[in-house]
Amino acid sequence: MKLWQRIFLTALLLVILATTITGWMIQSKNFSSTMQQEKERAAAIHANLAAGISSQVVYQRLLQSLPALGEKQVQQIAGTFLSENADISGAALYLEGTVVHLYPMHAAERANVFASNILEKNICLQQIIHDAQSVYLMSGSILTIEEKDYLLYTEKNLDALYAGKAEQMRMICYINLLTASVIAVLLLITTYLHLRPLSAIQTGLEQITQGDYQTRIKSKGAAELRQLTAHINDMTEATEQHMEQLQQTADSRKQFVDSFAHELKTPLTSIMGFGDLMRVTRSMDAEMRQEYAQIIVTEAKRLQTLSGKLLQLATAEHVQTEQQQVLAASLFEEIRVATAPMCLHNHVRLSVHCDKTVLTIDKELFKSLLYNLIDNAVKASHTGSEIRLSCKTRRGKSIIAVEDHGIGMNAQQLQHATEPFYMADKARSRKENGAGLGLSLCSEIAHLHNTQLHIRSHEGKGTIVWLVMPVSGA
């Protein structure tokens, strides 16, 4: 059973129950009020009858000038008076437990049920008697005539009252049925209209669970449903973004693995090929052996550089940095000394310009970053050109830059510069034992220091790479 059907049936049952209870309570209160009026009226009639009998006996005694009337005469007067009264449906007169008059009393056998209470309390008592086919209201009291205590009983037929009660109950049932029918239709329409947006939500969720994360559910209905729709759309958007990130990561890793396999294949093929030639060639002059050995050593060095940088790149994001305050001038001097052989071999000059800035860095990681930047600059520079390593402070920030005047990069090359294994000029990079990992590693190290690389380059004019670091003091 659907939710809207459950809500509809539950609300309908509650409405029927509420209207039934309300109708029953109103009818019960109305019937009680009517019954109380009937009892008061019956009591008044009973009292009038008792007073009328007493008055008639006194009148007859005075009329006949007797000191007292006999029992039979009294009973005859009482019987005549009771029989002629149209306000009652029956009456009985008892003397010392014996019926002296009975005018048709439908419940005569029950007349003495509360006789003892009448005699004891000397009041008019009433009781409702349910006969086989009818209902009567019996009233009883003591009637003292000629110094004798009689018990006078009168009864009033309540069939009309109970018939009216039954008719009222039928009317209440009809009204409840009609009301329930009208309310059922209104509830059905209202419930369906209010919960109809749930169908759209369900349809949207089915599409989302099937992998269609571009689905967006339209916001309709009550505020709660609109809020639910908004949360579902936000969740779907977040999931879509997360899936895109996962896909990008998977694609990046696949590209990384493919590039890694390709880069390893070339030096390994050269090493194995020339090594095998040296093994199978029986007569080889010294010059050829020297050439083959040089190729093997060169490719082995390239393989060593590639594996080392791969290891650094793979562990860079997991390494725990050991931050310390380092004087920038001292750090640059160490870099100048370390890169001097490389610059001398490539016939380029490294100039260092630094103030008294103090940096909070992981010294070894940061040295690796600067070394790789200078290494890239050396490989891109022309013979006799200058590479500039500088550090200057502006507004509490230190700007560290490596600038060359080499071959530079165009806009497309610059866009992919920090991607692993990307080489703008593959032939030149392999000739220089490059692997396309230097800027990727530098980017990761910069990220560990809560900063990022900035690159500006113009093809044929050179490249400048810089990053901004906070100054710790002088």
Side-chain angles (χ1 to χ4, degrees):
M1 186 180 293
K2 295 183 179 180
L3 176 61
W4 70 268
Q5 294 173 337
R6 293 182 180 180
I7 294 176
F8 164 70
L9 290 177
T10 302
L12 180 60
L13 289 175
L14 291 175
V15 168
I16 293 175
L17 183 62
T19 54
T20 301
I21 293 176
T22 302
W24 177 80
M25 291 178 64
I26 293 174
Q27 193 275 340
S28 297
K29 185 174 181 180
N30 182 56
F31 181 76
S32 297
S33 177
T34 305
M35 179 62 73
Q36 183 62 34
Q37 293 175 1
E38 288 293 332
K39 287 183 177 181
E40 293 175 356
R41 183 181 176 188
I45 292 173
H46 184 87
N48 289 335
L49 286 174
I53 292 172
S54 297
S55 299
Q56 190 66 25
V57 170
V58 172
Y59 173 75
Q60 290 295 330
R61 188 179 63 219
L62 294 175
L63 184 63
Q64 298 177 23
S65 301
L66 296 175
L69 295 179
E71 290 182 9
K72 289 184 178 182
Q73 193 174 2
V74 170
Q75 294 169 5
Q76 185 180 3
I77 294 172
T80 303
F81 193 82
L82 292 173
S83 301
E84 294 176 352
N85 194 288
D87 293 328
I88 58 175
S89 59
L93 189 65
Y94 285 74
L95 177 61
E96 296 178 355
T98 303
V99 178
V100 296
H101 174 78
L102 184 63
Y103 165 71
M105 190 77 171
H106 301 87
E109 68 279 3
R110 304 185 188 180
N112 280 324
V113 171
F114 50 96
S116 58
N117 290 330
I118 296 175
L119 294 172
E120 180 180 350
K121 299 179 179 179
N122 194 20
I123 58 175
C124 179
L125 293 181
Q126 293 179 313
Q127 183 177 7
I128 296 176
I129 305 297
H130 292 268
D131 204 350
Q133 297 178 347
S134 301
V135 182
Y136 302 94
L137 175 60
M138 183 180 293
S139 302
S141 66
I142 299 175
L143 177 60
T144 303
I145 304 175
E146 301 297 337
E147 299 182 354
K148 290 186 178 181
D149 291 332
Y150 292 85
L151 288 180
L152 174 63
Y153 295 97
T154 59
E155 65 179 11
K156 181 175 178 59
N157 190 289
L158 299 180
D159 288 346
L161 179 62
Y162 276 86
K165 176 183 178 182
E167 182 64 24
Q168 288 179 355
M169 288 300 297
R170 282 193 295 271
M171 288 298 298
I172 289 174
C173 290
Y174 293 148
I175 293 173
N176 283 346
L177 182 61
L178 178 61
T179 304
S181 300
V182 174
I183 292 177
V185 174
L186 295 177
L187 273 175
L188 183 62
I189 296 174
T190 304
T191 304
Y192 178 76
L193 290 177
H194 281 302
L195 297 182
R196 185 170 59 177
L198 285 177
S199 299
I201 294 175
Q202 182 180 4
T203 303
L205 285 175
E206 289 177 354
Q207 295 176 356
I208 293 170
T209 54
Q210 293 174 0
D212 185 5
Y213 297 110
Q214 293 183 347
T215 299
R216 296 295 182 270
I217 303 173
K218 294 183 179 180
S219 180
K220 294 180 180 180
E224 294 82 358
L225 293 178
R226 292 198 301 272
Q227 187 175 11
L228 175 62
T229 302
H231 290 330
I232 293 175
N233 289 336
D234 291 343
M235 180 190 69
T236 305
E237 184 175 357
T239 304
E240 182 182 14
Q241 293 176 357
H242 184 62
M243 292 298 295
E244 290 177 354
Q245 292 175 357
L246 289 177
Q247 187 62 43
Q248 291 175 359
T249 302
D251 294 342
S252 176
R253 289 181 178 179
K254 184 178 182 301
Q255 182 182 3
F256 184 89
V257 172
D258 292 343
S259 301
F260 178 51
H262 181 270
E263 292 299 323
L264 286 180
K265 181 180 178 180
T266 303
L268 284 175
T269 301
S270 299
I271 292 172
M272 291 178 63
F274 285 101
D276 191 52
L277 284 174
M278 294 178 68
R279 181 178 62 84
V280 300
T281 304
R282 294 185 179 181
S283 58
M284 180 180 294
D285 56 29
E287 183 179 354
M288 183 177 293
R289 182 180 294 104
Q290 180 67 26
E291 180 183 355
Y292 288 0
Q294 181 62 40
I295 293 174
I296 291 173
V297 170
T298 301
E299 293 300 319
K301 286 183 178 179
R302 183 175 170 216
L303 186 61
Q304 181 184 27
T305 302
L306 176 64
S307 60
K309 289 191 175 182
L310 278 174
L311 180 62
Q312 285 183 296
L313 184 62
T315 58
E317 61 182 48
H318 303 292
V319 71
Q320 295 293 329
T321 60
E322 298 180 1
Q323 303 282 341
Q324 57 180 311
Q325 291 186 350
V326 178
L327 188 63
S330 174
L331 177 67
F332 282 14
E333 179 60 22
E334 293 182 21
I335 293 295
R336 187 191 65 78
V337 173
T339 58
M342 176 175 59
C343 293
L344 182 63
H345 179 267
N346 288 274
H347 306 288
V348 296
R349 183 170 59 89
L350 176 66
S351 63
V352 178
H353 304 271
C354 185
D355 53 19
K356 297 181 180 181
T357 300
V358 176
L359 303 173
T360 301
I361 57 174
D362 185 304
K363 184 176 180 181
E364 295 304 321
L365 283 178
F366 209 78
K367 284 173 65 177
S368 178
L369 182 149
L370 293 178
Y371 185 90
N372 276 282
L373 291 180
I374 294 171
D375 180 51
N376 286 344
V378 169
K379 293 174 182 176
S381 296
H382 304 293
T383 300
S385 63
E386 179 186 21
I387 298 172
R388 179 184 176 90
L389 172 63
S390 63
C391 177
K392 55 185 177 182
T393 302
R394 289 181 179 177
R395 298 178 181 178
K397 299 289 184 180
S398 181
I399 303 173
I400 302 169
V402 175
E403 182 179 6
D404 67 70
H405 303 281
I407 59 176
M409 293 180 287
N410 57 34
Q412 183 179 3
Q413 294 169 344
L414 188 61
Q415 185 178 359
H416 302 283
T418 57
E419 294 179 4
F421 295 107
Y422 179 77
M423 292 177 282
D425 187 345
K426 294 187 177 181
R428 180 184 179 91
S429 296
R430 286 172 180 166
K431 182 179 179 181
E432 299 291 342
N433 293 328
L437 294 170
L439 285 177
S440 296
L441 179 61
C442 293
S443 179
E444 290 292 339
I445 295 175
H447 178 71
L448 290 174
H449 286 81
N450 298 319
T451 184
Q452 60 180 351
L453 290 181
H454 302 275
I455 306 174
R456 185 171 65 242
S457 182
H458 298 282
E459 196 170 12
K461 295 183 179 180
T463 303
I464 178 171
V465 182
W466 77 94
L467 61 157
V468 180
M469 301 286 294
V471 177
S472 300

